[in-house]
Each structure stands twice: as structure tokens, then as C-alpha cells.
Amino acid sequence: MSIDEIIDNFSLLDEWDDRYRYVIELGKGLAPLDERDRNQANKVQGCASQVWLATSVRPNGADGPVLTFIGDSDAHIVRGLIAILFAIYSGKHAREILANDAIALFERIGLREHLTPQRSNGFRSMVERIKSDARAAMAAVA
């Protein structure tokens, strides 16, 4: 599902309970994370719940590397946030990842103001981890 589809679906839901349920449903659609990827290197620091993000980098010539992500969390709502982040970032070029502002998008759809401070901090940590991986992929080809 694309981020535009998620935004459109989100806008159709008036009640925040329905929006939370939708976010949780998005998380249920995440591909399962292999146990070998649930390691310290993939664990995202700064999240109240446990979150793992594994990154694969594919060179793409002059356009720069393309990053694909898989991940999981032990919290349902966080799994949904991961699914939204993957819709924004996974399968994209590192330059595009660095240019996209997921935090601004979350503010635009009103989700950020409905997250607890701990979830907001965790969300920021996930975004920073993704961007850090994109910067590292760019540096590796420079």
C-alpha cells in the first residue's frame, strides 16, 4: 500500500478510535521478521517498546542505492507506525529517503498529536535510524 493510499484512507475515518484500529491493521500486514533479524544490531534505541529494523541496500548505478526495510515490534500500534514508515521509505533511493520528512507527514495527518510522548520519541528514533542507514548507504558509494 502506498503512503498516498494510507493518507486517503486515514482521511475517511472521523473518529480517532477508528484511526488507531486502522494503524493497528496496517501493522498486521507487515511481513514476519525472521528471528535472526531480532538482534541487537537491528534493535532501534530510544523506543519504549522493542523495535527491530533490518535494512537491505541494493546499488542502483548513478541513481544511488535503494534501501528496503523489514521490521517488527512487540507493540501493535508501533507495528502500524512501522508499516506507515515502510510505505514512505522502503524501496526508495537513499536521496529520496533523506529528502522525505515522515514527521511532517505525521503532523499533517494529525497522528503525531494523538501519540503519547513515548511513542512520538520512538517514532522519531525509527525515522532517524532509517535516515542514518540511508546516509551510510550514500557514503558507501561516494
Side-chain angles (χ1 to χ4, degrees), residues 55 67 69 97-98 125-139:
T55 306
L67 283 74
F69 304 96
I97 290 169
L98 294 171
S125 295
M126 289 187 286
V127 170
E128 183 48 42
R129 168 64 181 277
I130 288 169
K131 290 189 177 249
S132 175
D133 288 352
R135 284 190 291 276
M138 295 279 296

Side-chain angles (χ1 to χ4, degrees), residues 60-132:
N60 196 29
D63 290 333
V66 172
L67 283 74
T68 306
F69 304 96
I70 56 172
D72 198 7
S73 174
D74 60 352
H76 295 298
I77 192 84
V78 177
R79 282 179 58 86
L81 298 177
I82 292 169
I84 294 170
L85 284 174
F86 289 177
I88 298 169
Y89 293 125
S90 194
K92 305 287 194 294
H93 289 94
R95 280 188 181 85
E96 190 177 353
I97 290 169
L98 294 171
N100 271 331
D101 186 353
I103 295 169
L105 181 129
F106 266 52
E107 287 175 1
R108 192 175 90 215
I109 63 176
L111 189 54
R112 187 168 166 258
E113 68 194 52
H114 287 88
L115 295 176
T116 65
Q118 291 152 318
R119 293 266 190 259
S120 290
N121 289 338
F123 176 74
R124 276 193 226 72
S125 295
M126 289 187 286
V127 170
E128 183 48 42
R129 168 64 181 277
I130 288 169
K131 290 189 177 249
S132 175

